[in-house]
Structures are given as C-alpha cells and as structure tokens.
Amino acid sequence: MSGELDEPQAGSSYAGADRRNPEVNRARVPGGVIQRAGALGPRSWIQKVLEQITDSPLHWVTPSEVVPVAVLAVQRYLLEDEPRDIVPKPPRYCYDVTISDGVYQEKCFLDPRLNFLVYKNILKVGIEMKIFRVSCLYNEKRLGQGILCIDNIHCGEEILDIISSATPFRNSAHEEKPERPLRGGKSHYLALWNNEDPYGDIWLTNKQPEEYNFNHTKIISLAHLEMSWTNRRNYPALLVRIMHKSRLRYYGKPNKKMIEPYQSFLEVADSSGTVSVIMWNALCPEWYKCLRVGLVLLLQDYSVKKSFPFRLQPLPVDSQIKLISTMEVCLNLQDPPSNITIIPERQVKSEWRLPKLNHRFITRSELDDMPEKQICDVVGILVFVGRVQRLKKRENSEDFWTYRWIHIADGTSEQPFIVELFSTSQPEIFENICPMTYFMCTQLKVVRNSNQVPKLLYLTTTNESRMFIIGHRGQPYGNNTRIKNFIHWIKTKTDSGEMKNTVIGGYYPYPPVPETFSKYSTSVKVQSLLTSMSEVRKEIENLQYREQKRIAIQGIITIIKYISHSSATGSSSVSETLQKVNQPSTSQTAIKESQSQELDGKQDDGSVSAQTTCTSLSPPKKKRIRQGLFAKLVPIPQPESSPQTRENIPDMPCIFQSRENASTGIKWKARKTLTHRWESQLWREKKFGLRDHLRYSFVYPESIPRKFVFEHKKFLIQQYNCQPAKYIAPEERPPKLSDFKSAQSLGHFEITILGLNHERAIDVAFLPLYHPEDIQTSQIDTLLACMNYSCVYPQKVTDSEKMPGPRALAGDIIKAVTELDRVHVISILDICNLGNNKVEVYLHKIYRPDNAP
C-alpha cells in the first residue's frame, strides 16, 4: 500500500537510496521501513516521531518535542476500506495531509474527527501546524504495515516565506505516479471542494487525432441502429461528431468497490440523427479531457441499451436532425472494451454529411425578450468575476456544487449578461477566468421572473454548458460570424470603459428577493421559512468553507451605524490579528463546537466565533455616518489612483448623481444637521439583559469588490478561488488585498437586530453596492428601498448634477430610520463562511409587517 511503514527488521537494506545525499539515505527508504537516522546532517522531526511510535506499545505517542511543520497538501478521497459487515457512516470522505519538517515530507492520514478543520478551511496548505499526538494505523490484511495518523493538532498562521517543494519524501512510495490515497485501496484523489472537477494525474490529455483506414470498416447510421439494435449482438462502427459534452458525474459510495466511478454524456450526431453516448468509469479519466465539442469520432465495440426515461437530452440546434431518445450508446473498458478513435478534420469527407456545429448566440439586447428556460449561447468580455462559492447539493449532504457569478458585456446594451456559472468540469478555465477576458459560454438557460420587483433576469449553466476563452487556438467556434462581430467590436472601440471599470470578487447579493414577503415565501424551497433567533448560531456554525446560505428572521432594528472605508481598513489588521489569536486549539475545537449549542442560555463570551472579538474593536474615535441607505444613489467613478494609495485616503468624498423616483417625485437634498449613529431607546433598555449577542458585522477585505488591476492578475485570481489542494509557491511577496481600490465607495453599515422576545440580538453588515436601475416603489425614502437590488457593475453618468456628500445626507437618513423604531420587521440574511473562522452575516432585505402574511 502506498504510504505504508513497516516495523524495523534485522538486515534491512537501503534499496533505492540517493547516493548524492548519504545523510538522507540513512532514514529515507522505500516502502516506509523505519531506520535509525545517523548523527550526520539535519535531524528530521518526522523521523524522530516515527521512531517513538515504533518503540511505543500503544501505537500512539505524544511527541517529546513539538515543532511546527509546514502543510504542503490536503487531499480528499472516498474511504473504501470499511469492512462489509459495518454499515458506512458519515463522513464518507477522508483526507491525506502532506507535511514537511524541512528535512523530509511525509503523507499522513487525518483522523476523521478532525475533518471539520478542512470543512472550515482552518487546516489548509501553506500554514504552520503543530502535531501533539500521532498514531500508527495498521492494515490488518497485510503483515506489519501501517500509516501515520494525525490525531491532535493546532493550526497556526500562514507561512510568509516560500516553502521548498524540493524536500524529499521520507517514504519513496509517496513519489510514485499516479498518486494513490493512503487508505483508498485502488481509489484516487478527488477535487478538494467538489466532485465534478477532474483532479490529479489519472486524467490523461494525450489522445490525438490519427489517420484511419476505413477500407475494412463497416459503418452504421444512428437511425438504422435505432431500428435494429434489439436484434443485434454485434454492432457496426459509428462515425459521429460530438455536439455536446456534459460535466462529469461522480457516483462513488463507500460500500461499492469501484475504482473510478464516473459517468459522462456525449451528444453525438451523424446525418440521420443525434443520440446520447455514455462514458463509464475508468474510461472517463482516460478520455474525458481529450474529447471536446466538434471532434469526429469512430466508435467501435460499444454496447446499446434502452435510454433512461427521466433524463432530458439537449435539443439539437438544427431542427432537421432527428432526436433519438429510445436508446443510449455505452462506452466502457470492459464488457466489451470500447474502441475510440479521433478522426482528424482533414480526413472528414463531405459525403459523410456530418452535421456542423451550430450555436444559439444571442446578444444582451435580445435577452430581454427571451422566454423562461430558453437555451442560448453568449460571447463577450468579462467585466465582473465573483468569488467561488459552494452550494450544498442536498440537506445534510457532504457534496457541494461550486459556482461563481460573472458579468459579460457584448456592446449591445448598457446592461451585461448576469451568469450563474457552475463548475463545468473545466477547472483550467473556471479557476483562471478574470475580468478583461474574452469569454464564451454555451448551453445557458434563461431564468426570469417579471412579476417581482426588481425583475429577475439572469442565465445559469446546464449539464452540457461549456466555457471557452476567445483567442485560444483549436476551439470549436471556428469562424462563427457572431464571434467575428464581437472581436471587431472590441478592436474598434474608441472608449475603454468596459476595461477600466472591471471588478473582481467580493460579496455578491444575487439573486434579489421579491418586494413582498408573501412572494418571497413562495419562491424559496426550505423546510422552515423563518429561523428563530436561538437557531441562528447553529446555522452559522454548520456552514462550511465558501458556503453561503440565506435565512429569514424576525426582529427589531435597534442600531444602525456607518463605517467608512478608511475606518474599516484601519481596524482590519487589529481584527484579523485577534481573530487568529482567538482561533481555538484544534484538539479542543470539536468539544467546543458541540458545547456551543448549549450556550443559547448564556451571555456570549467571545469564545465561539472570532467575529465576537473582531467587530467590537473598531477605533474609539472612528467617525461614523449614515448615508445612502434610503436614497437611490449611483456613484460616479472617481479619478483613477494606484491600489496602494486609494484606501489610505481618509474619508474620501463621494460624488453622486441625483435620481428622482417616478412614483413619489422625491429628490434628496442636503441637511445641515449631521448624526453619525442612531440607537433606539429599546436597545438602551434591553442590551444588558441579553442571553446571547452574536456579532457578525465585520466586513473582511475579501468581501469588498475590488477594481481589477491586470498587473496583479495572478494574485487577484488566487484570492477569489477556493483554497488549492497543493501548496503553490508565490513568485514574489504578494500585495495585500486591502491595497486594491474598492469598486464601491459607500463603505458599509453595521446593523443590530433585536429578537422579538428581547433575549437575543445579532449584529449584521449591510454592504450597499451599485444599483443598475430605478426601482418603482413608494418606499424609496426608507431602508427597504435600497435593498431591492444590488449589483456591482458601474453605471454611466448622464446628469452632471451632483448631490451632497454622504455626511450631508445623514440627517435625512436618521429621520427615516426612526420610522422603524420598535417596528417588527422580517430580515433576510446572507450568511457567508470565508474559512479560517471568518464568518460574515449580511442584511439583504427587510420586509415591513404589512408586507408579511
């Protein structure tokens, strides 16, 4: 087994030793045989611990000396070694952690009781880690062999210096290719954060088109095969073109001993029709990354079966092509072993009449008239790329989707395409897209609801969606006219507004919720529509890394205060430092998490969440203002400045364009009286008698949308992707994320919501962003109006009239806030887990009682 270590045996050899480093050879041996290290050269902490385990009759030890080790890899896989008589119980997945002590690397098995450290992204690559207890886990089916298991650890801070990846493995078996998990038998590693992305060296990319001699090959059309397959045992070859390719589906289960349980669909066509082809199991790692839409395939030794009745095939672009839905073609490495040949395009003959690729390209100006669920393709330039987020597939499931929101501009409208981009099993694109990229996405579905305010309209990926970066060679769109028109538009543009105003990352409150709670209640699919204040803590603690969840609570707004950019930046370093200091020791965290559910009847003491300490530490003389919450404001772009200096300018004034509401005719005017903070009398009466006060109003730097700077492209892309499974050494000392200019100039608001029973309260943040359109509502002068719609792309300014600065609006805002004093409201909250004990809660929308049922 890979990663195994043996008990010391007399006469052990130094097979596979490295003659260039005799000191290392004294301890580094194949198969993990433990040898006593000599006195020469640096002393390995890993080697000393292994020697302690060997001498221990308990098979576990607490190291006599605890030193920090670097984490180089955290890799996930499905555990398959459970005995047949034991019913598999969660967790389904296990983790191997590769550590380095500067002398050796060692791959270790993480005790499943510590899996939550990975779920929360506390245990991650690039950090220092102290190990307080290790054990030897033996495989009882083999003599004397076992693996190193980590039982008790403390995760420290990120290592700023570059960690050397040239440090050798103590166990040479860990260097073998392909990589295999320590306890996975013949299994393989999965992507760290989802199951759809191909990960690791088992996924091949070396299949190339090759000339084929058709002289002795009998070919059958798809239409003929449909009519005759039930009467055949042997099927002639199929000559088809790939029209669509699905994302990967992983269906592994602990109690099913399958080596590579994958499935992928290809929609292929010839002149007579189109049919689904299914690639199964080990054929997927061999062929999935080699096959792309548009290739011509010769398929031999396949099987045919009746199609699955509940699967919907994508409709052919060409209505003249017949959709064959009664059968499916199956490709596998056995029963029988399928034969796939990629035919070069130069060998394709016109008499074969293979269909050409067609696309359903639409422009942004055409999207407004597209019906719900319509399938389309789009092309344009990326003007916004959001951070990667995760969505649980089912309640209480360990499986997640990964997705991000993007905006695509094509020059036909002032509004971009808003796209919910789920992973399409193309991590090489999904994890590397950034603003200013020429981008194409196919098989998108229209999502719309014109009966709510604001109107809902966006695109979302389907199972067959594919992503392309325009300009890469060998792409299937070829000489498409729509692609040429887009490239021409880009080249002939006289202004570069789309380039200068591009944005990356941050909290993105989309899709918007309807204008009334009754509409909201019918639009969500949850077991319980409302969450009680006593349940909010549990909802927050159950959230995993990059997971975002929306809940609804009832309460009373008691405090609203404004935090400017300069104030937030000034308190950031202090808050982040204390957040790390208060991070619990990992050996105790599991106990603390189980006990935290019992804290509902106690005063919050700051030990459960880092935010409890962070948010109360803003500077005592911080200037706080109320601005913009009740008005329809559109920031006018400020003059460009370097990302290193923008946020260091205190209280930079913001310039706004006045927007007049059609239904009320209200126009904001400045008042001379300024108030920086509002606190209700109810809060003064109840704040000292609370049973629990959750503080999650701190906004971390990664939640603020940033102006994209192309020179720092690599750094910004990494910041808004999920944590990688393997350590990637930075090319140079990276900048700080807070150095980059914010894409929104309003700062944020801290809002305290008191529960209806006056026993619990929660501090949340409100991050006002750009507003793309006027909202026709009579509540334009209240807190409710500004939450009808939030978006991050800038608006073009058409009116030169300037409104007073944020401070001049504070008096009007405070007056409007008092209308909500002691009023019961329903608050829609977005909970975001950023990992490493960083959690934020955002106020997305407030409903008045008269809008609730």
PDB file of all heavy atoms in Angstrom, residues 1-23:
ATOM      1  N   MET A   1       0.845  -1.195   0.000  1.00  0.00           N
ATOM      2  CA  MET A   1       0.000   0.000   0.000  1.00  0.00           C
ATOM      3  C   MET A   1       0.877   1.240   0.000  1.00  0.00           C
ATOM      4  O   MET A   1       1.859   1.320   0.710  1.00  0.00           O
ATOM      5  CB  MET A   1      -0.901  -0.002   1.250  1.00  0.00           C
ATOM      6  CG  MET A   1      -1.673   1.307   1.419  1.00  0.00           C
ATOM      7  SD  MET A   1      -2.572   1.379   2.977  1.00  0.00           S
ATOM      8  CE  MET A   1      -3.888   0.264   2.604  1.00  0.00           C
ATOM      9  N   SER A   2       0.483   2.224  -0.789  1.00  0.00           N
ATOM     10  CA  SER A   2       1.220   3.480  -0.808  1.00  0.00           C
ATOM     11  C   SER A   2       1.159   4.134   0.545  1.00  0.00           C
ATOM     12  O   SER A   2       0.133   4.206   1.191  1.00  0.00           O
ATOM     13  CB  SER A   2       0.633   4.411  -1.874  1.00  0.00           C
ATOM     14  OG  SER A   2       1.228   5.655  -1.789  1.00  0.00           O
ATOM     15  N   GLY A   3       2.311   4.640   0.993  1.00  0.00           N
ATOM     16  CA  GLY A   3       2.349   5.356   2.253  1.00  0.00           C
ATOM     17  C   GLY A   3       2.464   4.459   3.458  1.00  0.00           C
ATOM     18  O   GLY A   3       2.195   4.875   4.573  1.00  0.00           O
ATOM     19  N   GLU A   4       2.785   3.190   3.281  1.00  0.00           N
ATOM     20  CA  GLU A   4       2.866   2.285   4.410  1.00  0.00           C
ATOM     21  C   GLU A   4       4.238   2.344   5.043  1.00  0.00           C
ATOM     22  O   GLU A   4       5.246   2.609   4.408  1.00  0.00           O
ATOM     23  CB  GLU A   4       2.560   0.858   3.955  1.00  0.00           C
ATOM     24  CG  GLU A   4       1.107   0.728   3.487  1.00  0.00           C
ATOM     25  CD  GLU A   4       0.891  -0.510   2.644  1.00  0.00           C
ATOM     26  OE1 GLU A   4       1.898  -1.125   2.268  1.00  0.00           O
ATOM     27  OE2 GLU A   4      -0.262  -0.838   2.386  1.00  0.00           O
ATOM     28  N   LEU A   5       4.288   2.017   6.353  1.00  0.00           N
ATOM     29  CA  LEU A   5       5.566   1.917   7.036  1.00  0.00           C
ATOM     30  C   LEU A   5       5.621   0.581   7.736  1.00  0.00           C
ATOM     31  O   LEU A   5       4.611   0.055   8.189  1.00  0.00           O
ATOM     32  CB  LEU A   5       5.761   3.076   8.024  1.00  0.00           C
ATOM     33  CG  LEU A   5       4.682   3.322   9.074  1.00  0.00           C
ATOM     34  CD1 LEU A   5       5.051   2.571  10.352  1.00  0.00           C
ATOM     35  CD2 LEU A   5       4.563   4.796   9.346  1.00  0.00           C
ATOM     36  N   ASP A   6       6.794  -0.014   7.811  1.00  0.00           N
ATOM     37  CA  ASP A   6       6.976  -1.325   8.399  1.00  0.00           C
ATOM     38  C   ASP A   6       7.658  -1.213   9.746  1.00  0.00           C
ATOM     39  O   ASP A   6       8.334  -0.247  10.051  1.00  0.00           O
ATOM     40  CB  ASP A   6       7.837  -2.211   7.487  1.00  0.00           C
ATOM     41  CG  ASP A   6       7.168  -2.448   6.153  1.00  0.00           C
ATOM     42  OD1 ASP A   6       5.941  -2.298   6.106  1.00  0.00           O
ATOM     43  OD2 ASP A   6       7.885  -2.775   5.188  1.00  0.00           O
ATOM     44  N   GLU A   7       7.499  -2.268  10.550  1.00  0.00           N
ATOM     45  CA  GLU A   7       8.269  -2.371  11.773  1.00  0.00           C
ATOM     46  C   GLU A   7       9.734  -2.590  11.409  1.00  0.00           C
ATOM     47  O   GLU A   7      10.058  -3.196  10.389  1.00  0.00           O
ATOM     48  CB  GLU A   7       7.750  -3.558  12.608  1.00  0.00           C
ATOM     49  CG  GLU A   7       6.316  -3.390  13.104  1.00  0.00           C
ATOM     50  CD  GLU A   7       6.224  -2.343  14.179  1.00  0.00           C
ATOM     51  OE1 GLU A   7       7.249  -2.071  14.833  1.00  0.00           O
ATOM     52  OE2 GLU A   7       5.143  -1.801  14.352  1.00  0.00           O
ATOM     53  N   PRO A   8      10.704  -2.120  12.188  1.00  0.00           N
ATOM     54  CA  PRO A   8      12.106  -2.329  11.881  1.00  0.00           C
ATOM     55  C   PRO A   8      12.443  -3.810  11.865  1.00  0.00           C
ATOM     56  O   PRO A   8      11.977  -4.564  12.713  1.00  0.00           O
ATOM     57  CB  PRO A   8      12.851  -1.611  13.009  1.00  0.00           C
ATOM     58  CG  PRO A   8      11.847  -0.898  13.802  1.00  0.00           C
ATOM     59  CD  PRO A   8      10.496  -1.352  13.412  1.00  0.00           C
ATOM     60  N   GLN A   9      13.186  -4.213  10.881  1.00  0.00           N
ATOM     61  CA  GLN A   9      13.582  -5.604  10.738  1.00  0.00           C
ATOM     62  C   GLN A   9      15.089  -5.690  10.610  1.00  0.00           C
ATOM     63  O   GLN A   9      15.729  -4.817  10.052  1.00  0.00           O
ATOM     64  CB  GLN A   9      12.914  -6.228   9.502  1.00  0.00           C
ATOM     65  CG  GLN A   9      11.382  -6.157   9.572  1.00  0.00           C
ATOM     66  CD  GLN A   9      10.740  -6.676   8.323  1.00  0.00           C
ATOM     67  OE1 GLN A   9      11.418  -7.322   7.514  1.00  0.00           O
ATOM     68  NE2 GLN A   9       9.469  -6.421   8.148  1.00  0.00           N
ATOM     69  N   ALA A  10      15.648  -6.820  11.139  1.00  0.00           N
ATOM     70  CA  ALA A  10      17.085  -7.021  11.055  1.00  0.00           C
ATOM     71  C   ALA A  10      17.491  -7.207   9.614  1.00  0.00           C
ATOM     72  O   ALA A  10      16.802  -7.855   8.835  1.00  0.00           O
ATOM     73  CB  ALA A  10      17.489  -8.240  11.882  1.00  0.00           C
ATOM     74  N   GLY A  11      18.614  -6.630   9.266  1.00  0.00           N
ATOM     75  CA  GLY A  11      19.125  -6.814   7.909  1.00  0.00           C
ATOM     76  C   GLY A  11      18.419  -5.994   6.870  1.00  0.00           C
ATOM     77  O   GLY A  11      18.481  -6.321   5.678  1.00  0.00           O
ATOM     78  N   SER A  12      17.717  -4.927   7.267  1.00  0.00           N
ATOM     79  CA  SER A  12      17.028  -4.099   6.283  1.00  0.00           C
ATOM     80  C   SER A  12      18.039  -3.460   5.341  1.00  0.00           C
ATOM     81  O   SER A  12      19.108  -3.015   5.749  1.00  0.00           O
ATOM     82  CB  SER A  12      16.220  -3.011   6.998  1.00  0.00           C
ATOM     83  OG  SER A  12      15.227  -3.588   7.801  1.00  0.00           O
ATOM     84  N   SER A  13      17.652  -3.349   4.093  1.00  0.00           N
ATOM     85  CA  SER A  13      18.556  -2.803   3.090  1.00  0.00           C
ATOM     86  C   SER A  13      18.244  -1.342   2.836  1.00  0.00           C
ATOM     87  O   SER A  13      17.231  -0.819   3.278  1.00  0.00           O
ATOM     88  CB  SER A  13      18.426  -3.591   1.787  1.00  0.00           C
ATOM     89  OG  SER A  13      17.136  -3.397   1.237  1.00  0.00           O
ATOM     90  N   TYR A  14      19.126  -0.661   2.104  1.00  0.00           N
ATOM     91  CA  TYR A  14      18.928   0.730   1.683  1.00  0.00           C
ATOM     92  C   TYR A  14      18.576   0.771   0.208  1.00  0.00           C
ATOM     93  O   TYR A  14      19.073   1.580  -0.536  1.00  0.00           O
ATOM     94  CB  TYR A  14      20.202   1.547   1.934  1.00  0.00           C
ATOM     95  CG  TYR A  14      20.505   1.732   3.384  1.00  0.00           C
ATOM     96  CD1 TYR A  14      21.421   0.896   4.008  1.00  0.00           C
ATOM     97  CD2 TYR A  14      19.890   2.729   4.117  1.00  0.00           C
ATOM     98  CE1 TYR A  14      21.724   1.061   5.350  1.00  0.00           C
ATOM     99  CE2 TYR A  14      20.189   2.887   5.456  1.00  0.00           C
ATOM    100  CZ  TYR A  14      21.107   2.054   6.078  1.00  0.00           C
ATOM    101  OH  TYR A  14      21.401   2.228   7.401  1.00  0.00           O
ATOM    102  N   ALA A  15      17.648  -0.075  -0.220  1.00  0.00           N
ATOM    103  CA  ALA A  15      17.280  -0.126  -1.634  1.00  0.00           C
ATOM    104  C   ALA A  15      16.681   1.205  -2.050  1.00  0.00           C
ATOM    105  O   ALA A  15      15.876   1.794  -1.338  1.00  0.00           O
ATOM    106  CB  ALA A  15      16.273  -1.253  -1.870  1.00  0.00           C
ATOM    107  N   GLY A  16      17.097   1.683  -3.232  1.00  0.00           N
ATOM    108  CA  GLY A  16      16.566   2.949  -3.759  1.00  0.00           C
ATOM    109  C   GLY A  16      17.160   4.161  -3.098  1.00  0.00           C
ATOM    110  O   GLY A  16      16.609   5.236  -3.156  1.00  0.00           O
ATOM    111  N   ALA A  17      18.316   4.035  -2.465  1.00  0.00           N
ATOM    112  CA  ALA A  17      18.911   5.176  -1.781  1.00  0.00           C
ATOM    113  C   ALA A  17      19.442   6.207  -2.763  1.00  0.00           C
ATOM    114  O   ALA A  17      19.803   5.890  -3.888  1.00  0.00           O
ATOM    115  CB  ALA A  17      20.048   4.702  -0.876  1.00  0.00           C
ATOM    116  N   ASP A  18      19.507   7.441  -2.289  1.00  0.00           N
ATOM    117  CA  ASP A  18      20.014   8.548  -3.084  1.00  0.00           C
ATOM    118  C   ASP A  18      21.498   8.735  -2.770  1.00  0.00           C
ATOM    119  O   ASP A  18      21.865   9.203  -1.693  1.00  0.00           O
ATOM    120  CB  ASP A  18      19.223   9.830  -2.754  1.00  0.00           C
ATOM    121  CG  ASP A  18      19.620  10.981  -3.660  1.00  0.00           C
ATOM    122  OD1 ASP A  18      20.566  10.844  -4.437  1.00  0.00           O
ATOM    123  OD2 ASP A  18      18.956  12.027  -3.563  1.00  0.00           O
ATOM    124  N   ARG A  19      22.363   8.347  -3.691  1.00  0.00           N
ATOM    125  CA  ARG A  19      23.794   8.407  -3.430  1.00  0.00           C
ATOM    126  C   ARG A  19      24.303   9.834  -3.331  1.00  0.00           C
ATOM    127  O   ARG A  19      25.371  10.082  -2.787  1.00  0.00           O
ATOM    128  CB  ARG A  19      24.545   7.675  -4.543  1.00  0.00           C
ATOM    129  CG  ARG A  19      24.207   6.177  -4.591  1.00  0.00           C
ATOM    130  CD  ARG A  19      24.968   5.490  -5.709  1.00  0.00           C
ATOM    131  NE  ARG A  19      24.635   4.077  -5.742  1.00  0.00           N
ATOM    132  CZ  ARG A  19      25.142   3.231  -6.661  1.00  0.00           C
ATOM    133  NH1 ARG A  19      26.000   3.676  -7.561  1.00  0.00           N
ATOM    134  NH2 ARG A  19      24.796   1.968  -6.628  1.00  0.00           N
ATOM    135  N   ARG A  20      23.545  10.802  -3.847  1.00  0.00           N
ATOM    136  CA  ARG A  20      24.004  12.184  -3.792  1.00  0.00           C
ATOM    137  C   ARG A  20      23.846  12.775  -2.406  1.00  0.00           C
ATOM    138  O   ARG A  20      24.397  13.803  -2.092  1.00  0.00           O
ATOM    139  CB  ARG A  20      23.227  13.030  -4.807  1.00  0.00           C
ATOM    140  CG  ARG A  20      23.484  12.640  -6.245  1.00  0.00           C
ATOM    141  CD  ARG A  20      22.500  13.329  -7.176  1.00  0.00           C
ATOM    142  NE  ARG A  20      21.128  12.911  -6.861  1.00  0.00           N
ATOM    143  CZ  ARG A  20      20.061  13.364  -7.508  1.00  0.00           C
ATOM    144  NH1 ARG A  20      20.201  14.270  -8.455  1.00  0.00           N
ATOM    145  NH2 ARG A  20      18.865  12.946  -7.173  1.00  0.00           N
ATOM    146  N   ASN A  21      23.045  12.154  -1.550  1.00  0.00           N
ATOM    147  CA  ASN A  21      22.808  12.686  -0.212  1.00  0.00           C
ATOM    148  C   ASN A  21      22.873  11.555   0.792  1.00  0.00           C
ATOM    149  O   ASN A  21      21.847  11.016   1.219  1.00  0.00           O
ATOM    150  CB  ASN A  21      21.428  13.368  -0.160  1.00  0.00           C
ATOM    151  CG  ASN A  21      21.275  14.240   1.066  1.00  0.00           C
ATOM    152  OD1 ASN A  21      21.989  14.068   2.051  1.00  0.00           O
ATOM    153  ND2 ASN A  21      20.328  15.171   1.002  1.00  0.00           N
ATOM    154  N   PRO A  22      24.081  11.135   1.218  1.00  0.00           N
ATOM    155  CA  PRO A  22      24.193   9.986   2.107  1.00  0.00           C
ATOM    156  C   PRO A  22      23.541  10.202   3.457  1.00  0.00           C
ATOM    157  O   PRO A  22      23.076   9.261   4.083  1.00  0.00           O
ATOM    158  CB  PRO A  22      25.716   9.802   2.234  1.00  0.00           C
ATOM    159  CG  PRO A  22      26.301  11.130   1.886  1.00  0.00           C
ATOM    160  CD  PRO A  22      25.386  11.713   0.868  1.00  0.00           C
ATOM    161  N   GLU A  23      23.458  11.480   3.944  1.00  0.00           N
ATOM    162  CA  GLU A  23      22.820  11.696   5.229  1.00  0.00           C
ATOM    163  C   GLU A  23      21.337  11.376   5.158  1.00  0.00           C
ATOM    164  O   GLU A  23      20.754  10.807   6.077  1.00  0.00           O
ATOM    165  CB  GLU A  23      23.016  13.159   5.680  1.00  0.00           C
ATOM    166  CG  GLU A  23      24.441  13.508   6.076  1.00  0.00           C
ATOM    167  CD  GLU A  23      25.345  13.738   4.870  1.00  0.00           C
ATOM    168  OE1 GLU A  23      24.812  13.808   3.754  1.00  0.00           O
ATOM    169  OE2 GLU A  23      26.564  13.839   5.066  1.00  0.00           O
TER     170      GLU A  23
END
